[in-house]
């Protein structure tokens, strides 16, 4: 398939793996955080880790929007569906994430709540159009990639004069999360999480561009390479990071030039800033409270803001204490460090969000890596 097969070519993969083995300094160790769950899955699915020398390590980051949503917001969504009797529209993965006391949207639906899986924001609008007597809420989650479609839905709802459509907004921002990780005690003071560079997000960068990452490269002196999601993209990006580390450079480089530009998608950015504004703080699962890391709906569109339309009660939300998702999302632990991994917690019976989402680290380990140990490069030759 054009534009896919070229990025999965075995011979090219061996060539890049050879270059990585040659250029990785055996006196050094390299720790690269992949922010996106999409990169984590590409690494596991295509065995990228197996092609790395022993001194190149991947640290899994918090770049899975389903995984980072705090339980309190999920509990709010369950409340919207159960107590306020709305039609709650959501993307598929969110339905299975357990909230407090393992209560998920799927369980709420089984108990009679009207929860519907949609593929796009426009599906939710269609449901609102077809059910004028019912309130329809779109449970909006995601990073900068999924924010523009939510803005489109709100704009369209306003243009069509919808009175029964609103959005429960949980859109979060990548740059703020990366800053928070780099400023965390585990990275800065304790040295528990070592990060020598970042594989930068690809789809997010297609919207916001590579320019916002200049700040980290400069301020924290960490190289960033915007990487595509195919295995050769990831490997080439690792090679670019190794070269930066070896040359003591800390720049933003763009491996994913076929999609990402420096300025990003200006039209999408304008649309998003017309509809949304920054929240002062937002709680992330794993990262805690992160300043200016999420969006809320502007007052001009308050009629479409579910948080204003419905009174949500303050709840005592609770994480499952033995679930290590929060530590995994900070790069402090790996899924296999969790004693529930593969025993109590599996994709069929997920205990935490990282096992539910198709981009979650636990799901990646379970699906592609649970029987494997990383091998030295020689095994791949
Ligand atoms: S294996 Fe399950 S319980 Fe353990 S950290 Fe992952 S999602 Fe949480």
């Amino acid at each position: 398939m054009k534009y896919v097969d070229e990025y999965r070519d075995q011979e090219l993969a061996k060539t890049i793996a050879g270059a990585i083995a040659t250029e990785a300094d055996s006196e050094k160790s390299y720790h690269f955080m992949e922010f996106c769950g999409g990169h984590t899955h590409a690494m596991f699915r295509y065995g990228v880790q197996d092609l790395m020398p022993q001194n190149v390590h991947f640290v899994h980051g918090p770049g899975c929007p389903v995984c980072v949503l705090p339980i309190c917001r999920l509990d709010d969504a369950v409340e919207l569906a159960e107590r306020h009797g709305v039609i709650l529209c959501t993307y598929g993965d969110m339905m299975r994430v357990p909230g407090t006391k393992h209560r998920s949207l799927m369980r709420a639906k089984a108990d009679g709540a009207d929860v519907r899986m949609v593929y796009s924001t426009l599906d939710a609008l269609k449901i609102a159009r077809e059910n004028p007597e019912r309130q329809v809420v779109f449970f909006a989650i995601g990073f900068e990639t999924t924010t523009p479609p939510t803005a489109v839905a709100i704009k369209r709802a306003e243009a069509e004069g919808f009175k029964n459509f609103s959005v429960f907004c949980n859109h979060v921002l990548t740059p703020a999360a990366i800053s928070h990780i780099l400023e965390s005690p585990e990275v800065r003071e304790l040295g528990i999480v070592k990060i020598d560079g970042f594989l930068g997000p690809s789809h997010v960068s297609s919207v916001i561009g590579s320019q916002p990452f200049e700040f980290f490269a400069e301020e924290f002196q960490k190289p960033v390479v915007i990487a595509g999601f195919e295995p050769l993209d990831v490997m080439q990006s690792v090679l670019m990071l190794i070269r930066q580390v070896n040359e003591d450079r800390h720049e933003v480089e763009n491996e994913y030039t076929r999609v990402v530009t420096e300025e990003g998608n200006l039209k999408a950015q304008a649309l998003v800033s017309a509809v949304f504004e920054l929240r002062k703080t937002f709680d992330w699962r794993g990262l805690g409270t992160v300043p200016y890391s999420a969006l809320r709906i502007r007052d001009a569109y308050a009629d479409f803001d579910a948080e204003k339309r419905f009174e949500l009660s303050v709840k005592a939300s609770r994480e499952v204490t033995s679930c290590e998702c929060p530590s995994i999302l900070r790069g402090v632990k790996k899924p296999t460090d969790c004693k529930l991994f593969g025993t109590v917690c599996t994709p069929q019976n997920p205990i935490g969000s990282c096992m539910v989402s198709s981009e979650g680290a636990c799901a990646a380990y379970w699906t592609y890596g649970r029987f494997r140990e990383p091998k030295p490069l020689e095994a791949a030759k």
Side-chain angles (χ1 to χ4, degrees):
M1 188 190 297
K2 185 74 182 155
Y3 301 128
V4 173
D5 290 347
E6 299 95 314
Y7 296 95
R8 298 177 185 175
D9 185 276
Q10 282 189 30
E11 292 309 311
L12 276 175
K14 283 183 188 165
T15 303
I16 301 173
I20 290 172
T22 304
E23 298 192 32
D25 183 343
S26 57
E27 300 293 310
K28 288 186 168 134
S29 66
Y30 304 83
H31 299 80
F32 301 131
M33 175 174 270
E34 83 276 5
F35 186 85
C36 285
H39 288 137
T40 311
H41 273 252
M43 285 166 188
F44 275 84
R45 181 172 180 190
Y46 297 103
V48 171
Q49 175 79 73
D50 298 354
L51 293 167
M52 295 293 124
Q54 295 285 36
N55 58 339
V56 175
H57 308 277
F58 294 117
V59 183
H60 313 309
C64 157
V66 172
C67 303
V68 296
L69 189 79
I71 274 194
C72 59
R73 303 291 289 187
L74 176 59
D75 290 346
D76 283 343
V78 172
E79 180 187 326
L80 276 169
E82 289 187 325
R83 193 162 76 85
H84 297 279
V86 307
I87 300 176
L88 190 92
C89 300
T90 183
Y91 296 134
D93 279 349
M94 269 328 296
M95 292 185 65
R96 301 178 59 233
V97 179
T100 299
K101 296 187 180 163
H102 298 285
R103 193 96 189 122
S104 65
L105 287 168
M106 189 77 100
R107 290 200 180 183
K109 183 178 173 70
D111 289 343
D114 197 344
V115 180
R116 303 190 193 181
M117 190 187 87
V118 292
Y119 289 102
S120 77
T121 55
L122 298 186
D123 286 350
L125 273 184
K126 184 165 177 277
I127 291 169
R129 203 175 286 117
E130 291 168 351
N131 295 273
E133 75 293 351
R134 301 277 310 277
Q135 286 292 323
V136 176
V137 177
F138 176 65
F139 185 14
I141 65 148
F143 290 97
E144 291 88 337
T145 326
T146 51
T147 312
T150 307
V152 167
I154 291 173
K155 283 266 198 189
R156 190 171 288 190
E158 185 195 41
E160 292 187 33
F162 277 76
K163 299 283 181 237
N164 66 329
F165 177 79
S166 58
V167 169
F168 180 39
C169 179
N170 295 276
H171 286 299
V172 288
L173 303 172
T174 310
I178 295 181
S179 283
H180 194 77
I181 291 168
L182 288 170
E183 282 168 353
S184 70
E186 285 128 344
V187 173
R188 284 206 113 154
E189 294 151 30
L190 305 173
I192 297 170
V193 182
K194 195 162 173 353
I195 300 174
D196 299 306
F198 280 95
L199 290 166
S202 50
H203 292 165
V204 163
S205 303
S206 71
V207 176
I208 66 173
S210 62
Q211 196 273 333
F213 300 102
E214 304 278 351
F215 171 76
F216 315 109
E218 182 63 32
E219 177 72 15
F220 297 100
Q221 308 213 328
K222 303 285 182 198
V224 178
V225 175
I226 310 292
F229 279 140
E230 292 299 328
L232 294 196
D233 288 318
V234 175
M235 293 179 72
Q236 179 64 28
S237 301
V238 170
L239 181 58
M240 291 163 78
L241 282 170
I242 287 171
R243 285 176 179 160
Q244 285 209 44
V245 172
N246 288 351
E247 293 162 15
D248 203 18
R249 288 186 290 120
H250 38 84
E251 299 164 11
V252 177
E253 293 181 316
N254 182 10
E255 182 277 336
Y256 199 33
T257 50
R258 64 190 184 278
V259 173
V260 173
T261 60
E262 194 176 341
E263 73 275 12
N265 184 332
L266 297 177
K267 204 168 173 186
Q269 290 169 27
L271 182 64
V272 167
S273 85
V275 175
F276 299 103
E277 63 187 5
L278 282 174
R279 288 181 195 265
K280 281 201 176 129
T281 59
F282 193 77
D283 286 339
W284 293 53
R285 190 191 296 241
L287 304 189
T289 303
V290 182
Y292 299 106
S293 64
L295 299 174
R296 70 176 177 206
I297 296 168
R298 286 186 183 277
D299 284 346
Y301 296 94
D303 288 350
F304 305 99
D305 188 343
E307 287 177 78
K308 295 199 169 111
R309 185 172 295 193
F310 303 97
E311 198 174 322
L312 297 169
S313 57
V314 179
K315 290 168 288 288
S317 298
R318 261 193 296 127
E319 296 269 2
V320 178
T321 48
S322 42
C323 169
E324 299 283 7
C325 280
S327 303
I328 290 167
L329 291 166
R330 295 198 308 278
V332 175
K333 291 191 175 173
K334 292 196 184 298
T336 41
D337 295 328
C338 174
K339 57 181 186 258
L340 304 186
F341 176 82
T343 53
V344 178
C345 183
T346 64
Q348 287 71 37
N349 179 43
I351 303 298
S353 56
C354 299
M355 190 58 97
V356 174
S357 166
S358 56
E359 295 186 359
C362 297
Y365 270 66
W366 171 264
T367 308
Y368 305 114
R370 65 190 189 272
F371 302 124
R372 283 203 322 237
E373 285 298 318
K375 293 179 208 144
L377 181 65
E378 282 65 35
K381 284 182 179 169

Coordinates of all heavy atoms in Angstrom, one line a residue, residues 286-324:
G286 N -2.3 10.6 36.9 CA -0.9 10.3 36.9 C -0.1 11.6 37.1 O 0.8 11.6 37.9
L287 N -0.4 12.7 36.4 CA 0.4 13.9 36.6 C -0.1 14.8 37.6 O 0.6 15.8 38.0 CB 0.4 14.7 35.2 CG 0.9 13.9 34.0 CD1 1.1 14.9 32.8 CD2 2.2 13.2 34.2
G288 N -1.4 14.6 38.1 CA -1.9 15.6 39.1 C -2.4 16.8 38.4 O -2.7 16.9 37.2
T289 N -2.4 17.9 39.2 CA -3.0 19.2 38.7 C -1.9 19.9 37.8 O -0.8 20.1 38.3 CB -3.3 20.1 39.9 OG1 -4.3 19.4 40.7 CG2 -3.9 21.4 39.4
V290 N -2.2 20.1 36.6 CA -1.3 20.8 35.7 C -1.8 22.1 35.2 O -2.9 22.2 34.6 CB -1.0 19.9 34.4 CG1 0.0 20.5 33.5 CG2 -0.6 18.5 34.9
P291 N -1.1 23.2 35.5 CA -1.6 24.5 35.1 C -1.7 24.7 33.6 O -0.9 24.2 32.9 CB -0.6 25.5 35.7 CG 0.5 24.7 36.4 CD 0.2 23.2 36.2
Y292 N -2.8 25.4 33.2 CA -3.0 25.7 31.8 C -2.8 24.6 30.8 O -2.1 24.7 29.8 CB -2.1 26.9 31.4 CG -2.4 28.2 32.2 CD1 -1.6 28.6 33.2 CD2 -3.6 28.9 32.0 CE1 -1.9 29.7 34.0 CE2 -3.9 30.0 32.8 CZ -3.1 30.4 33.8 OH -3.4 31.5 34.6
S293 N -3.4 23.4 31.2 CA -3.1 22.2 30.4 C -4.3 21.7 29.7 O -4.3 20.6 29.2 CB -2.5 21.1 31.3 OG -3.5 20.8 32.3
A294 N -5.4 22.5 29.8 CA -6.7 22.0 29.2 C -7.5 23.1 28.7 O -7.2 24.3 28.9 CB -7.5 21.2 30.2
L295 N -8.5 22.8 27.9 CA -9.4 23.8 27.3 C -10.8 23.8 27.9 O -11.3 22.7 28.3 CB -9.5 23.6 25.8 CG -8.1 23.7 25.1 CD1 -8.3 23.4 23.6 CD2 -7.6 25.2 25.2
R296 N -11.5 24.9 27.9 CA -12.9 25.0 28.2 C -13.6 25.8 27.2 O -12.9 26.5 26.4 CB -13.1 25.5 29.6 CG -12.9 27.0 29.7 CD -13.2 27.5 31.1 NE -12.9 28.9 31.2 CZ -12.6 29.5 32.4 NH1 -12.6 28.8 33.5 NH2 -12.3 30.8 32.4
I297 N -14.9 25.7 27.1 CA -15.7 26.4 26.1 C -15.8 27.8 26.5 O -16.1 28.2 27.6 CB -17.0 25.7 26.0 CG1 -16.8 24.2 25.5 CG2 -17.9 26.4 25.0 CD1 -18.1 23.3 25.6
R298 N -15.6 28.7 25.5 CA -15.7 30.2 25.8 C -17.1 30.5 26.1 O -18.1 29.9 25.7 CB -15.3 30.9 24.5 CG -13.8 31.0 24.3 CD -13.5 31.9 23.1 NE -12.0 31.9 22.8 CZ -11.1 32.6 23.4 NH1 -11.5 33.4 24.4 NH2 -9.8 32.5 23.1
D299 N -17.3 31.6 26.9 CA -18.6 32.1 27.3 C -19.5 32.3 26.1 O -20.7 32.2 26.2 CB -18.5 33.4 28.1 CG -18.0 33.1 29.5 OD1 -18.0 31.9 29.9 OD2 -17.6 34.0 30.3
A300 N -18.9 32.7 25.0 CA -19.7 33.0 23.8 C -20.5 31.8 23.3 O -21.5 31.9 22.6 CB -18.8 33.5 22.7
Y301 N -20.0 30.6 23.7 CA -20.6 29.3 23.4 C -21.2 28.6 24.6 O -21.3 27.4 24.6 CB -19.7 28.5 22.6 CG -19.3 29.1 21.3 CD1 -18.1 29.8 21.2 CD2 -20.0 28.9 20.1 CE1 -17.7 30.5 20.0 CE2 -19.7 29.5 18.9 CZ -18.5 30.3 18.8 OH -18.2 30.9 17.7
A302 N -21.5 29.4 25.7 CA -21.9 28.7 26.9 C -23.1 27.9 26.8 O -23.3 26.9 27.5 CB -22.1 29.8 28.0
D303 N -24.0 28.2 25.8 CA -25.2 27.4 25.6 C -24.9 25.9 25.3 O -25.7 25.1 25.4 CB -26.0 28.0 24.5 CG -26.7 29.3 24.9 OD1 -26.6 29.6 26.1 OD2 -27.3 30.0 24.1
F304 N -23.6 25.7 24.8 CA -23.3 24.4 24.4 C -22.3 23.7 25.3 O -21.6 22.7 25.0 CB -22.7 24.4 23.0 CG -23.6 25.1 22.0 CD1 -23.4 26.4 21.6 CD2 -24.7 24.4 21.5 CE1 -24.3 27.0 20.8 CE2 -25.6 25.0 20.6 CZ -25.4 26.3 20.3
D305 N -22.2 24.3 26.5 CA -21.3 23.8 27.5 C -22.0 22.9 28.6 O -22.8 23.5 29.3 CB -20.6 25.0 28.2 CG -19.4 24.5 29.2 OD1 -19.4 23.3 29.5 OD2 -18.6 25.3 29.5
A306 N -21.8 21.6 28.5 CA -22.6 20.7 29.4 C -22.3 21.0 30.9 O -23.1 20.8 31.8 CB -22.2 19.3 29.1
E307 N -21.1 21.5 31.2 CA -20.8 21.8 32.6 C -21.6 23.0 33.1 O -21.8 23.1 34.3 CB -19.3 22.1 32.7 CG -18.4 20.9 32.6 CD -16.9 21.2 32.7 OE1 -16.4 21.5 33.8 OE2 -16.3 21.3 31.6
K308 N -22.0 23.9 32.2 CA -22.9 25.0 32.6 C -24.4 24.6 32.5 O -25.2 25.1 33.3 CB -22.6 26.2 31.7 CG -21.2 26.7 31.9 CD -21.1 28.1 31.4 CE -19.7 28.7 31.8 NZ -18.8 28.9 30.7
R309 N -24.7 23.7 31.6 CA -26.1 23.3 31.4 C -26.6 22.4 32.6 O -27.7 22.4 33.0 CB -26.3 22.7 30.1 CG -27.7 22.4 29.8 CD -27.9 21.9 28.3 NE -27.6 22.9 27.3 CZ -27.9 22.8 26.1 NH1 -28.6 21.8 25.6 NH2 -27.6 23.8 25.2
F310 N -25.7 21.5 33.0 CA -26.1 20.5 34.0 C -25.3 20.7 35.3 O -24.1 21.0 35.2 CB -25.8 19.1 33.5 CG -26.5 18.8 32.2 CD1 -25.9 18.9 31.0 CD2 -27.9 18.4 32.2 CE1 -26.5 18.7 29.8 CE2 -28.5 18.2 31.0 CZ -27.9 18.3 29.8
E311 N -25.9 20.6 36.4 CA -25.2 20.7 37.7 C -24.6 19.4 38.0 O -25.4 18.4 38.3 CB -26.2 21.1 38.8 CG -25.5 21.7 40.0 CD -26.6 22.3 41.0 OE1 -27.6 22.9 40.5 OE2 -26.3 22.1 42.1
L312 N -23.3 19.3 38.1 CA -22.6 18.1 38.4 C -22.2 18.1 39.8 O -21.6 19.0 40.3 CB -21.4 17.9 37.5 CG -21.8 17.8 36.0 CD1 -20.5 17.8 35.1 CD2 -22.5 16.5 35.7
S313 N -22.6 17.0 40.5 CA -22.3 17.0 42.0 C -20.8 16.7 42.2 O -20.2 16.0 41.4 CB -23.1 15.9 42.6 OG -22.9 14.6 42.0
V314 N -20.3 17.2 43.3 CA -18.9 16.9 43.7 C -18.8 15.6 44.3 O -19.6 15.3 45.2 CB -18.4 18.0 44.7 CG1 -17.0 17.7 45.1 CG2 -18.5 19.4 44.1
K315 N -18.0 14.7 43.8 CA -17.9 13.3 44.3 C -16.6 13.0 44.8 O -15.6 13.7 44.5 CB -18.2 12.4 43.1 CG -19.6 12.4 42.6 CD -19.8 11.6 41.3 CE -19.2 12.4 40.2 NZ -19.9 13.5 39.7
A316 N -16.5 12.0 45.6 CA -15.2 11.5 46.1 C -14.8 10.4 45.2 O -15.1 9.2 45.4 CB -15.4 11.0 47.6
S317 N -14.1 10.8 44.1 CA -13.7 9.8 43.1 C -12.5 9.0 43.7 O -11.7 9.6 44.4 CB -13.3 10.4 41.8 OG -14.4 11.1 41.3
R318 N -12.4 7.7 43.3 CA -11.3 6.9 43.9 C -10.7 6.1 42.8 O -11.4 5.4 42.0 CB -11.9 6.0 45.0 CG -11.6 6.6 46.4 CD -11.8 5.5 47.5 NE -13.2 5.1 47.5 CZ -13.6 3.8 47.5 NH1 -12.7 2.9 47.4 NH2 -14.8 3.5 47.5
E319 N -9.4 6.1 42.7 CA -8.6 5.2 41.9 C -8.5 3.8 42.5 O -8.6 3.7 43.8 CB -7.2 5.7 41.7 CG -7.0 7.1 41.0 CD -6.8 7.0 39.5 OE1 -6.8 5.8 39.0 OE2 -6.7 8.0 38.9
V320 N -8.3 2.8 41.7 CA -8.0 1.5 42.3 C -6.6 1.6 42.8 O -5.6 1.8 42.0 CB -8.1 0.4 41.2 CG1 -7.8 -1.0 41.8 CG2 -9.5 0.4 40.6
T321 N -6.4 1.4 44.1 CA -5.0 1.7 44.6 C -3.9 0.8 44.1 O -2.8 1.2 43.9 CB -5.1 1.6 46.2 OG1 -5.7 0.3 46.5 CG2 -5.8 2.7 46.8
S322 N -4.3 -0.4 43.7 CA -3.2 -1.3 43.2 C -2.9 -1.1 41.8 O -2.0 -1.7 41.2 CB -3.6 -2.8 43.5 OG -4.9 -3.0 43.2
C323 N -3.7 -0.3 41.1 CA -3.4 0.0 39.7 C -2.3 1.0 39.6 O -2.3 2.0 40.2 CB -4.7 0.5 39.0 SG -4.4 1.2 37.3
E324 N -1.3 0.7 38.7 CA -0.1 1.5 38.6 C -0.2 2.5 37.5 O 0.8 3.1 37.1 CB 1.1 0.6 38.4 CG 1.4 -0.3 39.5 CD 2.0 0.3 40.8 OE1 2.1 1.6 40.8 OE2 2.4 -0.4 41.7

